[in-house]
Every structure is written in structure tokens, then in C-alpha cells.
């Protein structure tokens, strides 16, 4: 699919459509949808912004490429004056006091936010079922999960309820739902986009990223929201990616894949055979393909969840009903903390907090947490070595197809293992893009740090290859 952003921009400029009519159309689709993608609509705000865009066009004023484009926001981002619930009981009535940097950049570019989107509570999940708003239903088959935690964002894009959405990816939370719903989803290089105003899950791997139906729309949005931010010291200045620089050419000479991913007993046979077929088609284009050795997927999952649970236990310690949130009074202060957190956190969130406190506790931190940190360093070094041998790495997005709604809740371990092919790239802080090709849940393309351009370039190559 070609760029929806450019197509809509062209129609707005040429007065083929009005921005007000466009926004109303998207809002009506969101209101009537039965996929549980909506936490709250930003209707009045969106319509007011749309009217201003139409007024500029009527007056003959130029509008920017993103001006008037309706988009969705995963409900873990602050947008001043709007409900930001993280799909949780604790924050169901919380209104943001400020706006996240990435969202503010889109507002400054004239894009119009229309919906805060359903997700796993605090990003804790891989299915978008751990939410007070009801499980998000897959865009292709509503009996299946949408993936998570950015499930609502992915489904809204797949169903054309939004032109693009801003998700959040910690261990695969953009890439996996993008794969499940047949669209593009990018986890950029860690630090390329400011995390200021994103509710923290695991601060060392949290990434802001776009979800869209075309590579070009991913590129356009990525350029707008990237850049150094004084409010987030992990950010860095990055170069804009041009359309010409990601056009497919012969600059990519070698591709790698991890043989233990496709030799795993956990992988679905159809996903395995389709992936290997894609490898054959890439080879047929004259590109050298290398098998790479990597950590076993269960090692990646255990390392990721050890560190992620530790970080989320620390990050969520502030949520006790004292300063904000749904406070439940007990007989004393300690009792109030306990009841507030017990009653308002989901079972999955409590599971991760307990696990995180365990690995950080005295007697366990040396044995578990510090070992996890050491393994992450080894994983990063492994990637550096790999990218001395190959230009990009491809992999399946998931080892299996989306489960039925309800199945993941019965088996949390199976849910964690569904992240087996995504968490390693998160630990390495690498740019990784899901493309809706190759297998039923897509393919992942990964490059070295700050090489997001190469990921998009290879995606354009694959679009015409497989």
C-alpha cells in the first residue's frame, strides 16, 4: 500500500475532501467498532482542530504534510487534559497534566489525535487482554487476540479507524500486534525518540514507535517524532530519513538469520516453512544469506523478563493512591497502600511487581538480577559481532499464530514465550520493523543501532521480493 498520509494530504489540498468530514468519518468508525480498541475518544478536541485546518485551506494557506491527518495514541501517553488510564483501574479517572514529547511534536506538525487506544494494563501483556476495557479483538479474526500490549493501536490501523497510531514497544509490544494484524510496526533505536510522557514499564527498553499500513507512512511519522529532548537524557540527535534513501537498491549485500529460532521445537511448522521460503527468495535476488548463532530463545525470554519485572516493580512503586490514582482507604496508611495496589492492579501487573521485587531483594539480586545485566551485555556484544558479518537480520515475529481470546490468561508462561523472537532485539536496543509478509504473522527486520534507515530500505526491497 502507498502512503495514506500523502494521499489524504493531496485530497485535502485539492479540496476533494474536508478535514472535518474526514475526522467525523474516523470517529464514527471508532464509535461503532466492536473490537474494543477505544478507551476514550478525543472528539471535541479533534473536531475543533479539523475546523482550523479547513479554515486554513479555504483561506489559501499552505498546510503541512501531517496537518489534518487523524491518528491514535496508545493509552499510556500523556496528552494534557485527556484521560490517561493505562487501561487500569488505578488510573481510570486520571487526567494528564502535560503532553508527551512525541505526541506534542505530532500536534505541532498539525496531526489530529482522535482516540486513546486500548492496551494491556501498563503494557503488561502480549495479547491486550489485561485491560479493564475488555480484550481487544484481532482485526482479521475477532475470536483471536490482537497481540499486545499495543493491540488497540494495531487494530485501529489495520481496520482504517486511524491513519497511523503511536504505540509503545518494550519487548515486542508494537512488533507483535503489528504482525498479528498484518501491518507495519517499528521499534526504533532506543533513544531515537523521547520517552518523556510515556508511562514507564521498563525504562531501559521502552521505545516510542509508529504503526501504519505503509513503509512511507512509518518514515514520515518517524522523522517528525525523532530527536534529542532535554527532558529525556537517553535521547540523541538523529538525521532525517529521506524517501530516496530507503528506495530499494543493491546496497544490501548480506542478510543473517538465527538458525536456533527456526530450529526451535516451539515454532509453528507453517511459520517455519514460510520463513525458509522467504529466505530462498531473498537468496534468489543475489543476496548472501548467513546462518547466525544466538542465545536460546528461553534464555532471551528469561533475561528480558528478569530485567523488565525488576524495572516495572521500581517504576510502579509510585502508584499507591497518595498523589494520584484510585485510592482505597484502609485502617492505616500501610493498609491503604496495600488495599489500593491489590484492588487496582491487574493480576498480570501484580505478578510482574512481585517477580521484580523478588529478583531485586537481598539474597536474590546478585544471583538473578546482576546475572541478567551481565547476560544483556553479552547479548549486545553478540549483536555487534553479527553486524560485522551481515547488513541486516531477519526473523519470524512470533513462533506461533495468535491464540484464541482467553487462552493466554490461562497460561501466562505461554504468553511470555510468545515474545521469544522479539525480546532479544529489545535487549540489544536495536531498530526492528515488522513487515506484513513472509509468514502469517510477518517478518522482523533488524539492523545495527541508529541504522533505522537500513531497516526501512530492506522493507521496501522485501515488498517487491516476497
Amino acid at each position: 500500500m502507498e502512503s495514506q498520509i500523502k494521499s489524504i494530504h493531496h485530497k485535502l489540498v485539492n479540496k476533494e475532501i474536508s478535514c472535518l468530514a474526514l475526522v467525523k468519518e474516523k470517529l464514527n468508525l471508532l464509535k461503532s467498532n466492536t473490537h474494543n480498541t477505544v478507551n476514550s475518544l478525543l472528539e471535541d478536541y479533534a473536531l475543533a482542530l479539523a475546523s482550523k485546518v479547513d479554515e486554513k485551506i479555504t483561506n489559501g494557506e499552505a498546510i503541512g504534510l501531517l496537518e489534518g491527518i487523524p491518528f491514535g495514541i496508545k493509552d499510556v501517553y500523556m496528552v494534557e487534559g485527556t484521560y490517561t488510564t493505562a487501561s487500569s483501574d488505578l488510573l481510570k479517572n486520571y487526567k494528564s497534566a502535560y503532553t508527551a514529547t512525541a505526541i506534542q511534536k505530532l500536534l505541532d506538525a498539525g496531526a489530529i489525535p482522535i482516540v486513546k487506544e486500548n492496551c494491556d494494563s501498563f503494557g503488561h501483556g502480549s495479547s491486550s487482554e489485561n485491560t479493564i476495557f475488555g480484550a481487544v479483538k484481532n482485526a482479521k479474526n475477532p475470536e483471536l487476540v490482537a497481540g499486545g500490549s499495543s493491540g488497540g493501536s494495531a487494530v485501529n490501523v489495520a481496520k482504517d479507524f486511524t491513519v497511523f497510531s503511536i504505540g509503545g514497544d518494550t519487548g515486542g509490544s508494537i512488533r507483535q500486534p503489528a504482525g498479528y494484524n498484518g501491518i507495519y510496526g517499528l521499534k526504533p533505536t532506543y533513544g531515537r525518540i523521547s520517552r518523556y510522557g510515556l508511562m514507564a514499564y521498563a525504562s531501559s527498553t521502552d521505545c516510542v514507535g509508529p504503526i501504519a499500513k505503509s513503509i512511507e507512512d512509518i518514515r514520515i511519522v518517524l522523522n517528525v517524532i525523532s530527536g534529542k529532548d532535554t527532558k529525556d537524557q537517553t535521547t540523541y540527535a538523529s538525521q532525517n530519513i529521506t524517501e530516496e534513501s530507503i528506495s530499494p537498491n543493491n546496497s544490501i549485500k548480506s542478510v543473517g538469520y538465527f538458525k536456533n529460532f527456526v530450529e526451535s521445537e516451539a515454532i509453528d511448522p507453517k511459520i517455519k516453512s514460510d520463513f525458509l521460503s522467504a529466505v530462498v527468495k531473498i537468496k534468489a535476488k543475489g543476496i548472501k544469506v548467513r546462518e547466525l548463532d544466538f542465545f536460546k530463545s528461553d534464555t532471551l525470554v528469561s533475561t528480558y523478563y528478569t530485567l523488565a519485572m525488576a524495572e516495572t516493580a521500581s517504576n510502579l512503586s509510585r502508584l499507591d493512591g497518595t498523589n494520584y490514582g484510585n485510592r482505597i482507604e484502609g485502617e492505616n496508611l500501610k493498609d491503604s497502600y496495600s488495599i489500593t495496589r491489590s484492588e487496582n492492579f491487574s493480576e498480570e501487573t501484580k505478578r510482574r511487581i512481585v517477580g521484580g521485587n523478588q529478583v531485586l531483594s537481598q539474597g536474590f539480586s546478585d544471583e538473578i538480577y546482576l546475572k541478567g545485566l551481565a547476560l544483556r551485555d553479552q547479548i549486545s556484544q553478540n549483536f555487534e559481532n553479527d553486524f560485522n558479518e551481515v547488513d541486516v537480520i531477519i526473523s519470524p515475529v512470533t513462533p506461533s499464530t495468535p491464540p484464541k481470546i482467553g487462552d493466554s490468561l490461562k497460561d501466562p508462561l505461554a504468553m511470555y514465550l510468545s515474545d521469544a523472537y522479539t525480546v532479544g532485539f529489545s535487549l540489544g536496543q536495536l531498530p526492528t520493523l515488522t513487515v506484513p509478509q513472509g509468514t502469517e504473522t510477518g517478518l522482523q527486520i533488524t539492523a545495527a543501532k541508529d541504522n533505522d534507515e537500513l531497516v526501512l530500505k530492506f522493507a521496501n526491497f522485501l515488498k517487491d521480493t516476497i
Side-chain angles (χ1 to χ4, degrees), residues 361-436:
S361 63
Q362 188 173 5
F364 288 94
S365 59
D366 288 354
E367 274 299 308
I368 304 175
Y369 180 66
L370 295 182
K371 188 177 289 185
L373 291 176
L375 272 169
R376 180 165 66 182
D377 290 342
Q378 292 177 41
I379 289 165
S380 294
Q381 184 59 54
N382 201 106
F383 281 127
E384 285 188 28
N385 296 338
D386 289 336
F387 287 116
N388 287 328
E389 298 183 22
V390 298
D391 297 319
V392 296
I393 294 170
I394 60 170
S395 63
V397 179
T398 62
S400 56
T401 54
K404 286 188 175 181
I405 289 174
D407 287 356
S408 294
L409 297 179
K410 299 172 190 172
D411 190 353
L413 180 58
M415 180 183 68
Y416 299 156
L417 292 174
S418 72
D419 297 334
Y421 297 164
T422 55
V423 293
F425 304 121
S426 296
L427 292 167
Q429 302 184 334
L430 304 174
T432 309
L433 175 73
T434 287
V435 299

